[in-house]
Amino acid sequence: IDTGVDYTHNAFDNCDAQTFQLTGQTTLLNDLVQSEHPYGNNEETTFTIHKPGYTNIAVHFTNLTLEEINGNADTTDRIYILDGNNATIAVYKGEHSSFWTPSVAGDTMHIRLVTDGSVTRDGFVIDQVINGTTNVTMDWSSCSRVAGGWDTYHDDANPLDDHGHGTHVAGIALSQNDTYKGVAPSASVVAVKAISANGKGYASDVLAGIEYCTSNAKRLNISVISMSLACGGNSCV
C-alpha cells in the first residue's frame, strides 16, 4: 500500500495490463437499488444483487454522492463493492456519475455503504446490471508478477505508480537482480495505490487499502501487507 506500482517496469516482466471492453447483456432493474437520500451517519448497510445464471456480474450507478475529502478534513464514508465471497473489488468515495463497477466472476454482488459520524450526502442509485465485463475491469492475465490491485486515492482500477516510491519499495521486496536480490524474489505483488503523485494522502484511503488486502487475502493469495508511510494529523505522506 503506497503510491502504486509501475507494473510496466521490466522488473515485473513488462506487465501489460489492459482494461476489458464493455461486453455482455445489460439489464435495467425493475426495482432500483439505492440508499436513503440522504443516508445516515454511523451507518453500515449492505445491499445484495443476485442474478442466477450470470457468469460475470457488474452494476451501473446513475450517481454516487458521498462526503468528499476536503483539505485536512478526512472522511471514512465509502462504498465497497464486494463479490459473492465478500472480497472487495472496488472502493469509492466522493462524487461520481454514470459509471460501471468492475465485473467479478459469479452471479452475486454486494454493495456496502459505510459512513462516519459527520456530514451526510445524497447517497447512490443503481439502475442496471450486466452479465459480462466492463471497461473499468483490469485484465491482469498477462502479468506473471502482478496479481491485481486498486487505486483507493483516485477510486479506480489502475494502481499505476505516478510518484516512484511504491515501485522502489516493491523492488526492495521482489527484485530478482543477482546483485540486489529482494527479500522475497519469488513473490508476486498486489498493487494498492493510496498515495498521490506528490507523495501525500489520507488515512482513510490507506485504511480502505488495508480493507482491500485483508478481504482479498484468499482470492489474491495475499499473506503480507507492506506500507512505508509517515503520518501527521489527518494526512499521510
Side-chain angles (χ1 to χ4, degrees):
I1 300 173
D2 207 296
T3 61
V5 169
D6 180 8
Y7 49 77
T8 66
H9 193 281
N10 57 18
F12 299 100
D13 296 334
N14 302 110
C15 166
D16 185 28
Q18 302 290 328
T19 56
F20 287 99
Q21 298 296 312
L22 181 62
T23 304
Q25 179 64 47
T26 60
T27 302
L28 289 170
L29 295 173
N30 292 326
D31 296 315
L32 299 176
V33 176
Q34 57 188 314
S35 67
E36 294 182 348
H37 309 293
Y39 57 79
N41 284 325
N42 299 312
E43 180 178 340
E44 184 169 337
T45 305
T46 300
F47 307 79
T48 298
I49 297 176
H50 178 60
K51 291 292 182 180
Y54 276 32
T55 55
N56 288 278
I57 187 170
V59 300
H60 180 267
F61 285 78
T62 61
N63 64 278
L64 170 64
T65 307
L66 303 179
E67 182 182 1
E68 295 270 10
I69 292 177
N70 183 15
N72 288 328
D74 203 352
T75 174
T76 56
D77 288 6
R78 294 289 192 283
I79 285 283
Y80 293 85
I81 308 299
L82 313 173
D83 69 9
N85 296 313
N86 291 311
T88 300
I89 304 303
V91 188
Y92 301 101
K93 61 182 180 296
E95 295 190 12
H96 302 270
S97 62
S98 188
F99 68 97
W100 286 98
T101 67
S103 56
V104 298
D107 61 7
T108 302
M109 181 167 277
H110 305 293
I111 299 91
R112 180 160 59 99
L113 172 63
V114 179
T115 71
D116 59 21
S118 58
V119 178
T120 64
R121 300 293 298 277
D122 193 57
F124 71 88
V125 176
I126 295 171
D127 67 335
Q128 298 178 64
V129 293
I130 187 172
N131 182 15
T133 59
T134 60
N135 56 1
V136 293
T137 306
M138 294 291 288
D139 179 5
W140 299 100
S141 61
S142 69
C143 306
S144 61
R145 306 204 68 199
V146 184
W150 184 259
D151 183 340
T152 61
Y153 186 86
H154 294 109
D155 300 344
D156 66 47
N158 189 354
L160 187 65
D161 191 357
D162 53 8
H163 177 277
H165 186 263
T167 304
H168 173 77
V169 173
I172 292 173
L174 304 177
S175 173
Q176 295 178 335
N177 183 278
D178 289 337
T179 303
Y180 303 104
K181 190 80 73 177
V183 296
S186 62
S188 59
V189 65
V190 174
V192 176
K193 178 176 174 59
I195 306 298
S196 71
N198 64 8
K200 297 184 181 297
Y202 293 90
S204 65
D205 286 336
V206 174
L207 290 172
I210 294 172
E211 166 72 17
Y212 179 90
C213 292
T214 56
S215 74
N216 280 287
K218 182 177 181 179
R219 185 176 75 94
L220 298 177
N221 194 29
I222 300 171
S223 56
V224 174
I225 297 175
S226 172
M227 296 185 291
S228 178
L229 308 170
C231 292
N234 292 321
S235 181
C236 288
V237 297

